[in-house]
Amino acid sequence: MDTTLERPEKDFHHPYQPYDIQKQFMTTLYNCIEDGKVGIFESPTGSGTHKRRLFEESLTDLGDDDEPDWIVEQARNAKRESARRERAAFEERLARAREKERQNRVRSKAGEPSKKRLRTTENPDDSSDTEARFELDNYESDNENDMNAKATTSSATGLSTETHALMRKLGLATGELANDDENSVDEVKVFYCSRTHSQLTQFSSELRKVWLPPVLPRSDLSTEELVPSSPESLTEDLRHLTLGSRKNLCINPKVNSSGSATAINERCLELQQPGVSAECRCSYLPNKENETLVHDFRDNALAKIRDIEDLGSLGRKLGICPYYATRSAIAPAEIVTLPYPLLLQRSAREALGLSLKDHVVIVDEAHNLMDAITGIHSVSVTLKQLQTSRAQLGVYLQKFRNRLKGKNRVYVAQTVRLVDSLVAFLQSRGMNDHTANGIAKPTDLMAGKGADQINLYKLVRYLQESKLARKVEGYLVHTSEPVQKTKSESRSRSRASGSERGTTTPVLTQIQALFVALMNPSSEGRFFSVNEADGMALKYTLLDPAHHFREIVEDARAVILAGGTMSPMSDYYEHLFPYLTGSRIETLSCGHVIPSSNLLALPINQAANGADFDFTFEKRGSEVMMRELGEAILSVAENTPAGVVAFFPSYNYLNQVVSVWKKPIQQASSEQSLWDRIADCKTPFLEPRAVTSSGSDSSNSLTADHSLRIEHSGASNVHESVLTAYATAIANNNGKGALLLSVIGGSLSEGINFSDDLGRAVIVVGLPFPNPYSAEWKAKAAYVDSKASANRDKVESKAASRDFYENMCMRAVNQCIGRAIRHQNDYASILLVDRRYGLPRIQAKLPGWIRESLTTPGSVATASAQLKNFFAAKELSKARSHR
């Protein structure tokens, strides 16, 4: 039910004059939070709102309806006074931190040297490591009711008992959500989650523009705290904190050079294990000597709004690990920003000590949410990895077999048996092409000798607590290094091995994740055997994301899913929140801020030769249709000024199409290829793939000739380098413009603004449906049908999987469409090239603001004429406005 009209209008302290749809968005979102609902919000201009703090609401949730008014008021006053004192004390510390920063800036400008940094510890020579450090500690914790009673480390964090004790003393989160410290105040806070740190950084920069009045009324503040002449007395700073992984926050060069996130995690935890000498431990780790630095870090981190890079710089400046030190700032923070994995993984929340109880959770770019949950809880292991792991275990056992006692001997043997069983299963499946790809039952995976007798719960707990994977990997690295002759050689080798170690994840760690999946209920996911280019692989795919997100919904005060293109929304009801009643879910789909005359939306269903554009998997390989597509894109480019962006279904198909375009046209009067003609019209760019984890460049190589090759070093800066070159070409080539060929679901299809001349036309080629014949998709379709059959008849249940199939595809298409038209005065054309875009069922899944401007499907010639008239009218309007 819409309650926005029943409540007085609120002032959200927006830094600019908001659009009407933004006011509607903010009001509905605020009411959704107040009512403790789940909200699904779609706004094509971006959410644009700054979430107001909810501290004042915590002061109103007091008392009991049955209590006398004077008791309720007394309790409210007592809590208000307590909150005032706590806030005043904390703000005083923050003020000191801000003043210290101001003084440091003054000294820096004056040329004074900064304070001496802590001396960092050199990475220990690997040659000094003894084989004893790779031995397994005695393990006797075999009681399910007391899983951590005798464990020396935490399975969630990998930290030693001593480290946990120290972190508790320093007020740092240790992964134990229950906090018995009565002095710890956990502010009502907003957890703002997005897909990447770049998006979180953008959010942080927007927060800096917001000025909010004091949370406590002026009557609740003492006269000393109110200085009428001071502007600070009229506003209050937000206490904001950004959380990140070790990969983002580690400041130890000997650790963060390890490469992959997993390798950095492993190396960090290695340096904290019992038995590691004090000289070898990370010098940045919190300890008794640097306790004051942790508190300084907390106060400085909250003193102003900082992004992830700012926190790293602060940690380096103070000489304290920002990854661990940020935990002391979680409780007093009011807005916490964090990437998807830290929110969606229960183990990550526990490791950080994050409790979502009665807090607000906002997930931005939420069209990715279900895919992100599925990806986080899915696992893939190849036959080669299983065989490598088995060989590594063999080497380890050969050395330490006689030293293994008790439970260690039992569980290592069970690990070997289970790996052997998985290897045998994949080998048998791979011998027959008919059985290579298909669903695998857990009983088949554990059919090897003795494997079906293994208690997976106990084995997984043992692997977590004993750190067997880390011991095995560490021993193999140790034995593979030759004896160093000099100290300098040793250091050089240490660096090399660190880099080497970073390129791969410990194989047994990946297999351990597969063991965990074997314990999941069969209704949640499926195992598959797949014959890939590199050989056989075993995959676990999560089918039901609802269970893993439900614990977040049940803990949080309110959950908001927001994005520019959330349509179609039916999937969220049916597959993410099936346990919620309709009254608990609030939805809002905002219109666009532009007038309808600023958008031209054209479905193109027919090529110039009269044939239908049909980019289904079975028909899109036709070279004739690829050439007709090229002619269509050339026609669009000729009739569109500045920049044109085209999105293709996949990287492979983009490669195929460009290859065809570069072929000489037989019986043509000109020697120019179709690619040459396109390049003469607009400078072409191709979106490259990111560098793979193995270090090989998987970007497409079809960027020779007229297109500009975009060099890149990894996934983190691919789209930045492409966009820079693309934008430069548009600005500097005298009106010729540029053409960017991208991929639906690629780096450039999300989070990028192709505003103004960067995107005067957006072309979407085909629909990016997944392969309907794959075992994974068949299992997903069967799962969706089975869920629907419980509440629908047979015909409707069959339609459910089709709708899910189409919805998944259209969410990706809608993301591409949303890259253009980013402000009120922007204008662009949207061209949907495929006959299926003329189907009412497909059109119904487009955003409302696109549907309102959608024309009748037509040919390339019709579209070209409409484009010419559209942009001519815009040029005429510009000329008149400049008179």
Side-chain angles (χ1 to χ4, degrees):
M1 183 178 68
D2 186 4
T3 59
T4 57
L5 298 179
E6 302 171 9
R7 300 174 181 177
E9 185 175 346
K10 293 184 179 293
D11 179 7
F12 292 98
H13 310 285
H14 203 286
Y16 307 110
Q17 180 60 40
Y19 301 132
D20 288 340
I21 62 170
Q22 290 177 320
K23 290 180 180 178
Q24 179 191 13
F25 186 102
M26 290 186 287
T27 301
T28 308
L29 184 144
Y30 187 88
N31 292 338
C32 184
I33 292 173
E34 267 197 334
D35 296 337
K37 292 184 176 182
V38 170
I40 306 173
F41 291 78
E42 179 180 60
S43 177
T45 57
S47 62
T49 71
H50 305 292
K51 285 62 184 181
R52 192 180 182 185
R53 288 173 304 158
L54 302 171
F55 177 77
E56 66 270 23
E57 293 187 10
S58 69
L59 301 178
T60 62
D61 295 334
L62 294 168
D64 191 304
D65 292 339
D66 296 331
E67 296 286 356
D69 292 343
W70 68 272
I71 292 181
V72 174
E73 183 61 26
Q74 188 176 39
R76 183 177 288 112
N77 289 337
K79 184 170 183 181
R80 185 181 289 114
E81 176 61 21
S82 173
R84 189 198 66 76
R85 287 196 302 270
E86 290 166 356
R87 178 171 290 272
F90 193 78
E91 293 295 339
E92 185 179 348
R93 292 204 305 273
L94 294 185
R96 287 199 298 268
R98 294 184 186 110
E99 176 60 21
K100 189 180 293 185
E101 272 217 2
R102 187 192 66 79
Q103 293 174 359
N104 287 339
R105 286 196 299 269
V106 171
R107 282 198 296 267
S108 177
K109 288 181 180 178
E112 295 180 24
S114 59
K115 292 183 179 180
K116 187 177 181 180
R117 294 185 183 179
L118 290 180
R119 182 177 180 274
T120 60
T121 304
E122 276 290 323
N123 196 42
D125 295 341
D126 287 341
S127 58
S128 66
D129 292 339
T130 61
E131 292 176 350
R133 63 180 292 202
F134 304 113
E135 289 185 38
L136 292 167
D137 298 326
N138 289 335
Y139 181 85
E140 298 298 338
S141 180
D142 208 16
N143 183 354
E144 289 90 338
N145 298 321
D146 189 19
M147 98 173 358
N148 294 316
K150 300 180 183 178
T152 59
T153 61
S154 162
S155 62
T157 65
L159 304 182
S160 66
T161 305
E162 294 87 346
T163 302
H164 271 283
L166 175 61
M167 292 178 69
R168 281 192 295 270
K169 182 178 183 300
L170 295 177
L172 305 180
T174 63
E176 300 167 4
L177 298 182
N179 191 345
D180 297 328
D181 185 358
E182 295 180 359
N183 296 321
S184 176
V185 178
D186 190 18
E187 295 277 8
V188 176
K189 55 178 59 67
V190 173
F191 287 96
Y192 181 89
C193 174
S194 195
R195 193 169 58 94
T196 65
H197 276 293
S198 63
Q199 291 164 338
L200 295 177
T201 297
Q202 183 180 1
F203 174 77
S204 299
S205 67
E206 293 297 316
L207 275 183
R208 296 188 182 105
K209 303 175 184 176
V210 182
W211 296 91
L212 296 175
V215 168
L216 292 173
R218 294 174 68 90
S219 59
D220 291 330
L221 298 173
S222 65
T223 55
E224 291 82 2
E225 292 174 82
L226 284 175
V227 183
S229 61
S230 172
E232 284 80 6
S233 65
L234 304 178
T235 63
E236 187 168 323
D237 294 321
L238 288 163
R239 295 206 294 271
H240 163 266
L241 179 70
T242 294
L243 297 178
S245 64
R246 287 183 179 88
K247 184 173 178 63
N248 299 116
L249 289 173
C250 177
I251 59 174
N252 187 336
K254 305 299 182 182
V255 176
N256 60 29
S257 61
S258 299
S260 69
T262 302
I264 291 173
N265 290 340
E266 295 290 321
R267 185 59 180 153
C268 176
L269 295 176
E270 279 177 16
L271 299 181
Q272 300 176 53
Q273 293 306 301
V276 177
S277 64
E279 306 82 54
C280 297
R281 285 177 175 265
C282 176
S283 61
Y284 298 103
L285 192 70
N287 55 49
K288 294 179 181 178
E289 286 72 31
N290 59 25
E291 181 176 351
T292 56
L293 293 179
V294 175
H295 296 153
D296 285 347
F297 182 94
R298 175 198 62 199
D299 294 344
N300 279 278
L302 297 174
K304 69 176 187 179
I305 294 173
R306 300 176 187 268
D307 58 29
I308 196 76
E309 293 181 357
D310 294 332
L311 290 179
S313 299
L314 178 62
R316 279 186 286 271
K317 179 180 177 182
L318 296 175
I320 194 73
C321 173
Y323 174 73
Y324 286 112
T326 49
R327 302 181 186 193
S328 64
I330 293 175
E334 295 166 319
I335 294 184
V336 178
T337 56
L338 66 169
Y340 275 4
L342 297 187
L343 175 74
L344 300 180
Q345 284 181 290
R346 183 178 182 181
S347 60
R349 297 197 303 273
E350 290 176 346
L352 291 171
L354 286 185
S355 171
L356 304 179
K357 190 68 176 176
D358 297 327
H359 298 305
V360 177
V361 175
I362 297 176
V363 182
D364 200 5
E365 299 292 332
H367 65 277
N368 284 310
L369 182 58
M370 286 189 286
D371 291 338
I373 296 171
T374 299
I376 286 171
H377 295 94
S378 297
V379 189
S380 179
V381 177
T382 67
L383 176 59
K384 290 180 181 178
Q385 288 176 319
L386 287 166
Q387 292 170 330
T388 299
S389 178
R390 178 62 179 87
Q392 291 177 344
L393 285 167
V395 172
Y396 184 83
L397 280 173
Q398 188 175 0
K399 179 65 181 179
F400 295 101
R401 185 187 303 275
N402 294 333
R403 306 184 202 180
L404 295 180
K405 296 179 182 179
K407 298 295 182 181
N408 280 327
R409 182 184 293 271
V410 172
Y411 286 122
V412 172
Q414 287 184 359
T415 303
V416 170
R417 285 205 300 272
L418 190 49
V419 171
D420 284 341
S421 182
L422 296 175
V423 168
F425 171 81
L426 284 180
Q427 287 177 332
S428 63
R429 278 283 179 103
M431 294 174 64
N432 190 331
D433 291 339
H434 296 293
T435 61
N437 298 286
I439 295 176
K441 296 179 181 178
T443 51
D444 295 336
L445 301 178
M446 300 182 67
K449 183 179 179 181
D452 59 339
Q453 302 300 314
I454 295 173
N455 185 323
L456 282 172
Y457 174 81
K458 290 184 178 181
L459 177 59
V460 168
R461 194 182 77 213
Y462 167 80
L463 292 173
Q464 291 172 336
E465 295 178 3
S466 69
K467 309 302 174 190
L468 176 62
R470 194 174 302 129
K471 300 277 188 181
V472 172
E473 181 79 7
Y475 174 70
L476 289 168
V477 171
H478 172 73
T479 56
S480 66
E481 295 173 359
V483 177
Q484 304 300 321
K485 296 180 180 180
T486 67
K487 188 174 182 180
S488 60
E489 286 177 354
S490 177
R491 289 178 181 172
S492 176
R493 180 64 182 178
S494 175
R495 294 189 188 98
S497 65
S499 175
E500 205 172 277
R501 200 182 299 128
T503 60
T504 60
T505 299
V507 182
L508 190 54
T509 299
Q510 290 182 268
I511 295 172
Q512 185 176 316
L514 194 67
F515 293 174
V516 173
L518 278 167
M519 297 191 298
N520 291 345
S522 59
S523 59
E524 283 188 14
R526 295 286 186 277
F527 287 93
F528 304 92
S529 61
V530 183
N531 193 359
E532 299 178 329
D534 295 334
M536 291 295 295
L538 182 63
K539 295 185 176 183
Y540 173 79
T541 299
L542 183 73
L543 300 179
D544 183 10
H547 169 75
H548 293 279
F549 198 64
R550 182 171 185 168
E551 54 193 18
I552 293 176
V553 174
E554 292 179 343
D555 274 353
R557 172 195 182 109
V559 174
I560 306 295
L561 309 186
T565 50
M566 298 294 291
S567 298
M569 293 186 182
S570 58
D571 280 358
Y572 301 100
Y573 283 89
E574 297 178 9
H575 304 294
L576 195 59
F577 306 118
Y579 51 88
L580 295 180
T581 60
S583 61
R584 180 80 196 282
I585 302 176
E586 183 92 26
T587 62
L588 176 68
S589 180
C590 295
H592 213 295
V593 296
I594 61 167
S596 58
S597 59
N598 282 16
L599 171 66
L600 178 66
L602 302 171
I604 302 178
N605 64 351
Q606 199 173 72
N609 65 358
D612 284 344
F613 276 128
D614 188 345
F615 293 99
T616 54
F617 189 78
E618 295 83 2
K619 297 183 179 180
R620 69 186 188 188
S622 164
E623 286 199 9
V624 173
M625 191 163 63
M626 291 183 192
R627 290 188 183 278
E628 289 299 325
L629 173 62
E631 294 288 351
I633 290 178
L634 175 59
S635 180
V636 171
E638 289 172 340
N639 291 283
T640 302
V644 176
V645 184
F647 291 97
F648 287 73
S650 68
Y651 287 103
N652 288 338
Y653 190 63
L654 174 58
N655 286 347
Q656 291 177 34
V657 168
V658 174
S659 295
V660 170
W661 291 351
K662 288 187 175 182
K663 290 181 180 179
I665 301 176
Q666 295 181 3
Q667 299 178 346
S669 57
S670 172
E671 294 183 358
Q672 274 195 321
S673 66
L674 179 54
W675 180 257
D676 294 330
R677 291 165 57 206
I678 291 173
D680 285 345
C681 179
K682 291 191 183 295
T683 304
F685 294 83
L686 290 126
E687 176 186 346
R689 286 181 178 175
V691 174
T692 64
S693 59
S694 63
S696 61
D697 185 356
S698 62
S699 63
N700 69 65
S701 58
L702 302 172
T703 48
D705 305 330
H706 297 282
S707 65
L708 300 183
R709 182 171 180 80
I710 306 302
E711 300 295 339
H712 62 283
S713 58
S716 62
N717 63 355
V718 171
H719 63 274
E720 288 92 344
S721 60
V722 171
L723 277 179
T724 299
Y726 171 68
T728 301
I730 292 173
N732 298 337
N733 61 6
N734 300 319
K736 178 180 177 181
L739 170 66
L740 178 58
L741 304 178
S742 308
V743 174
I744 301 172
S747 300
L748 302 180
S749 66
E750 297 185 26
I752 304 297
N753 296 341
F754 291 107
S755 59
D756 300 315
D757 281 352
L758 289 179
R760 289 305 180 197
V762 171
I763 305 169
V764 181
V765 178
L767 289 90
F769 285 116
N771 180 4
Y773 306 110
S774 69
E776 292 176 73
W777 170 248
K778 286 180 179 179
K780 185 68 178 179
Y783 173 76
V784 171
D785 285 343
S786 66
K787 283 187 65 178
S789 63
N791 303 314
R792 308 178 188 179
D793 59 34
K794 189 172 182 180
V795 175
E796 287 183 332
S797 66
K798 282 294 181 185
S801 60
R802 183 199 63 196
D803 285 340
F804 181 83
Y805 188 63
E806 291 175 350
N807 291 349
M808 181 168 54
C809 166
M810 290 306 295
R811 272 196 298 273
V813 169
N814 292 341
Q815 269 297 297
C816 298
I817 292 172
R819 297 311 92 214
I821 309 184
R822 306 301 298 179
H823 58 84
Q824 192 170 27
N825 298 317
D826 204 356
Y827 60 91
S829 60
I830 308 294
L831 301 104
L832 307 173
V833 186
D834 195 298
R835 63 169 183 78
R836 290 170 290 180
Y837 285 115
L839 300 175
R841 192 177 70 248
I842 296 297
Q843 291 185 356
K845 299 178 189 296
L846 291 166
W849 62 278
I850 291 289
R851 292 199 304 270
E852 292 170 2
S853 300
L854 208 61
T855 64
T856 303
S859 65
V860 173
T862 302
S864 298
Q866 289 178 295
L867 283 170
K868 188 174 182 178
N869 294 335
F870 176 76
F871 289 112
K874 290 302 170 188
E875 288 300 316
L876 181 61
S877 177
K878 278 184 184 180
R880 287 174 177 171
S881 65
H882 287 119
R883 287 178 184 174

